[in-house]
Amino acid sequence: MAVHRIITNRKTFNCFVNTKWVSNLSSVRWFSSVQPPELPPFDYQPVPYNGPLADQVFEKRKKYLGPSLFHYYQKPLNIVEGKMQYLFDEKGRRYLDAFAGIVTVSCGHCHPEILRAIEEQNKLLQHATTIYLHHAIADFAEGLAAKMPGNLKVVYFVNSGTEANELAMLMARLYSGNLGMIGLRNAYHGGSAGTIGLTALNTWKYPIQQGEIHHVVNPNPYRGVFGSDASLYAQDVQDHIDHGTSGRVAGFISETIQGVGGAVELAPGYLKLVYEMVRKAGGVCIADEVQTGFGRTGSHYWGFQTQDVIPDIVTMAKGIGNGLPLGAVVTTPEIAQVMAQKIQFNTFGGNPVCSAGGLAVLKVLDKENRQKHCADVGSHLITRLKNLQQKFDIIGDVRGRGLMVGIELVTNYKDKTPAKAETAVLFEKLRELGVLVGKGGLHGNVFRIKPPMCFNKDDADFLVDALDYSISKL
Amino acid sequence: MHKFATSLRRLTADGDKIGRCSRRWFSQLPQRQLPETADVSAGAPIIPPFDYSPPAYVGPTADEILRKRKEFLSPSMFYLYKKPLNVVHGKMQYLFDENGRRYLDGFGGIATVNCGHCHPDVVQAIINQITTIQHSTILYLNHCIADFAAALAAKMPGDLKVVFFTNSGTEANELAMMIARLYTGCQDMISLRNAYHGNAAGTMGVTAQSNWKFNIVQNGVHHAMNPDPYRGVFGADGEKYAKDIDDLIQFGTSGHVAGFIFEAIQGVGGIVELAPNYLPHAYNSIKKAGGLVIADEVQSGFARTGTNFWGFQNQGIVPDIVTMAKGIGNGIPLGAVVTTPEIAKVLTRRSYFNTFGGNPVCTAAGHAVLKVIERENLQENAHVVGSYLKQRLIALKDKHEIIGDVRGRGLILGVELVTDRKLKTPAKTEILEIMDMMKDLGVLVGKGGFYGNVFRITPPLCFTKEDADFLVDAMDYSMSKL
């Protein structure tokens, strides 16, 4: 694009300081770095807030929630209300929620249809457990199974991604009769003792017993030693199996786009190769869809579909209930049979309210065509970000798909030195401008853009403009 | 109320005309067939009146649901009763099936619905919060989590005042175990045989009933002799059982342990209240070995035992870590771990995070639950009604040989059925029959114990004396029909 070539660095750009360029072909917009961009309009007034203020809440947190509880921002943000893709603080100020409570609020904060489903069920029955029948769990299981390819149609309901991955690991070990699990470096799969073993980022791993876990080289196209060459990365898996295990393994687990790890999309073709190796070694393949599921990637409903594979077990949580504490494991009848040897019970899992909420989410996402929307808005967003990457050296990589996007910041484009301090500064600046993003990557230098799926092109533009403005001010 | 109920029962002696009348009054049966009941012959007890009509149910029937369950849900998912019950609505201590028939909920969704099904205050708190913000995570501030944590801490003795929120009892116990192992630097955990603490890998290790244990690697877990007054070899001599802990530590570990986890009244294990004087001795042994004591209050907490808010308070110790779930939110998925600031520091070594844990809606519900328990004096009610119920059950024991033991306190009670009182042979099949008969009469209870021969009675804490009478009368009637 000719426009890009003109504006390759800040010096040249400053000549155009008061100019706005709009291109028909790629909707490139260049904001002046003099005025900050404005939030898209939103026809809604938040309820006036009379509750405790930020300082009070923060004090109480420090006292009653332990010193290990961390938070975003130097001056923590008191979020009191949410509506669709926006959040409101104690002063009624509106923010663009580009992180969705960590990829969780899939339909939008307080989405009316989800609320209606939850409220109606809440008035009838919150909880009785599966020792009695109730239609909500059965209907929701059916709805979920209908979204699955292959023979994936037995659903287990739990309360979180951690619980789901714990159960998946248990299934893998029981079904295969083997112990060794294989996971990717840079993965995140949970915060319990068992899933901490699978999680492979030292900041999240307490010094505890991990059991037999083999952490293989991450097929990271940006930072990985083999670039995007899936077969070379896959060979590492075979190496581990041949030398680090008895030759037989329990299973392999991965996210298709690593979330906490910084929106790292696995090198294309990787899973196909690895799944075959793992199955040959007697193991099962687990797809952790906690972040990538439910149409977020735009091109497909499930992340694993972007790699053209069908796993044996799929785990999900976060977006499944638009924020309701809910998780699920879907597997084949064959694997489920093994679990029937003993009693497997979850008190809260599959309760009527969460099931009703979950089913409403499936319906809303379909009705509002969210998968396609993610594809459209996502590609618009990524295109604009890639253009921004041309403008600023600090943007080392723009990656992801649909509304699961990562922006990695580096101080040196060639060496890819993580720009930790700059990321922190920009993070704050974005908040000041009204954009709340997420952070990730082992070095905390990746912006994670994973908004509620009702995020639109105007929101995308605002976000990119805000980033543009903030980086210019660095 | 009690007199009215008994006179009503007497009136039904001449045919069940009045019985049918009251059933029609209290349940809407517009387009559906009459509720199928077993025999409602002369003398059958009648459910206490309840001034409420459930909305008509037009959803899938039991058979449709069962078919879907078989196709789409875990094959190990079980249900109670020969003909599983489609529970579609709940109100306080009652549940309604698809035909609008009312049942007394003697199980509380497994000791979970403490305030009562769809308790208006809790429902309102949920709806108020859910229409404001459901979820944002602790990355941002929100007053709900802080207020609830403060209120919870206020219910705790000693220095127990740092709260971690999770989504279930399993997650809470997993976290507690990890904290203990990190804090002490030791791996060995001790739990009691017959315990239940959860279904994830770590908690499955300390869970100690083979029915619930898959064939997995159990890391560093030791199962101590259960201080079971009814079946244990030392009867009710707590101190003798506690010596087993010393033994395990001396011979099975390095002499230092990570900790000990227990339920003050074992739930899944069949409402076994630990033998008196056991805990103080066990506590000392664990402390000597440098371990932490974890009280699993998932079932016994939140006023259920009646005499105290927490089960461990009935046992005269202050633990280092307390875990809770179930009743904490009246059924909303929520769990928590409470410990001391000193122990809590251990998690600062790395990042610990729980995405859903402490979300505004669940914490708002939890806070509402605490207020309801206080305002409605549910602890006192659990104590008064529970004691009354236990007395009646003990009296029933005199009447029916099949009752081997009646135990528990407050509204966490167990009735163990045996075919031989001396040998204590579990009445495994009889209990199923009685349970089914009771359901037909309109009483739902739970089942537990290693042999599945213990009735578990853990209703919502708004349970009344009339409910207690109805429950016992139904049990009496059913046992007589065996």
Side-chain angles (χ1 to χ4, degrees), chain B residues 143-194:
Chain B
H143 74 96
C144 297
I145 185 178
D147 292 344
F148 182 39
L152 208 48
K155 289 295 201 189
M156 287 287 170
D159 207 19
L160 292 161
K161 61 173 197 246
V162 176
V163 186
F164 298 93
F165 288 111
T166 66
N167 305 294
S168 66
T170 289
E171 281 194 354
N173 285 331
E174 284 278 340
L175 182 57
M177 283 170 58
M178 184 165 82
I179 289 173
R181 284 168 161 152
L182 285 169
Y183 185 77
T184 58
C186 297
Q187 295 306 310
D188 296 288
M189 286 291 308
I190 301 179
S191 69
L192 297 177
R193 294 171 214 168
N194 202 44

Side-chain angles (χ1 to χ4, degrees), chain A residues 186-202:
Chain A
N186 202 47
Y188 185 89
H189 293 295
S192 66
T195 45
I196 277 176
L198 296 174
T199 292
L201 288 150
N202 76 71

Side-chain angles (χ1 to χ4, degrees), chain A residues 49 52 54 57-58 60-61 63-73 76-82 87 97 99-102 104-105 109-110 115 118-119 121-135 137-139 141-142 145 153-157 159-163 166 170 174 179 188 191-194 196 202-209 211 317-318 322-326 336-348 351 354 436-437, chain B residues 55 57 60 62 65-66 68-69 71-81 84-90 95 105 107-110 112-113 117-118 123 126-127 129-143 145-147 149-150 153 161-165 167-171 174 178 182 187 196 199-202 204 210-217 219 325-326 330-334 344-353 355-356 359 362 444-445:
Chain A
Y49 177 73
V57 177
F58 195 43
K60 261 195 186 167
R61 272 175 58 137
K63 185 167 179 197
Y64 296 109
L65 293 170
S68 64
L69 194 74
F70 50 90
H71 56 268
Y72 271 172
Y73 308 119
L77 188 54
N78 191 8
I79 292 295
V80 307
E81 189 178 338
L87 291 171
D97 183 4
F99 201 28
I102 314 181
T104 296
V105 182
H109 292 280
C110 302
L115 284 189
I118 294 173
E119 283 178 49
Q121 188 53 51
N122 237 313
K123 294 186 188 140
L124 287 174
L125 187 71
Q126 161 86 62
H127 172 93
T129 79
T130 53
I131 57 180
Y132 311 110
L133 302 180
H134 192 277
H135 73 93
I137 185 179
D139 293 341
E142 183 180 33
K153 62 178 201 217
V154 181
V155 186
Y156 293 76
F157 288 112
N159 307 294
S160 65
T162 288
E163 283 195 353
E166 280 273 352
L170 178 68
L174 287 170
L179 288 173
Y188 185 89
S192 66
I196 277 176
N202 76 71
T203 35
W204 302 92
K205 293 174 79 72
Y206 289 94
I208 57 169
Q209 298 222 358
K318 286 189 161 66
N322 201 42
L324 283 167
L326 179 59
Q337 259 317 114
V338 166
M339 295 302 295
Q341 297 164 0
K342 295 281 180 200
I343 309 176
Q344 201 282 325
F345 186 78
N346 193 306
T347 306
F348 290 132
N351 65 83
C354 290
L436 306 181
V437 294
Chain B
Y57 176 72
I65 296 167
L66 203 53
K68 274 192 189 175
R69 269 174 64 136
E71 187 175 354
F72 299 112
L73 293 171
S74 153
S76 77
M77 188 173 280
F78 59 92
Y79 47 78
L80 299 180
Y81 308 118
L85 194 55
N86 186 8
V87 173
V88 307
H89 183 35
L95 289 170
D105 183 3
F107 200 22
I110 314 182
T112 297
V113 183
H117 292 281
C118 301
V123 171
I126 292 171
I127 291 181
Q129 189 53 49
I130 212 160
T131 47
T132 309
I133 185 157
Q134 158 92 56
H135 171 91
S136 56
T137 77
I138 46 86
L139 296 172
Y140 313 107
L141 303 179
N142 188 287
H143 74 96
I145 185 178
D147 292 344
K161 61 173 197 246
V162 176
V163 186
F164 298 93
F165 288 111
N167 305 294
S168 66
T170 289
E171 281 194 354
E174 284 278 340
M178 184 165 82
L182 285 169
Q187 295 306 310
Y196 185 88
N199 57 41
M204 197 179 285
S210 55
N211 292 335
W212 299 88
K213 295 170 81 70
F214 285 92
N215 184 21
I216 56 165
V217 174
N219 261 323
K326 286 188 161 70
N330 203 42
I332 210 167
L334 180 60
K345 273 196 227 144
V346 109
L347 287 182
T348 57
R349 292 184 204 169
R350 291 293 182 281
S351 296
Y352 172 73
F353 188 77
T355 306
F356 292 134
N359 66 81
C362 293
L444 307 178
V445 289

Side-chain angles (χ1 to χ4, degrees), chain B residues 366-400:
Chain B
H367 204 176
V369 165
L370 285 183
K371 291 178 179 162
V372 166
I373 291 177
E374 178 137 348
R375 197 178 46 246
E376 295 183 7
N377 261 319
L378 293 182
Q379 186 178 317
E380 174 72 8
N381 190 60
H383 178 56
V384 168
V385 176
S387 314
Y388 174 75
L389 174 56
K390 193 175 180 185
Q391 286 315 307
R392 284 221 54 200
L393 288 167
I394 289 172
L396 200 67
K397 182 172 168 222
D398 291 335
K399 185 173 169 190
H400 297 281

Side-chain angles (χ1 to χ4, degrees), chain B residues 1-22:
Chain B
M1 234 354 178
H2 177 62
K3 278 212 197 104
F4 171 72
T6 22
S7 37
L8 196 60
R9 276 198 297 281
R10 265 186 259 127
L11 283 170
T12 59
D14 51 331
D16 56 345
K17 278 193 232 146
I18 295 191
R20 271 209 300 268
C21 277
S22 49

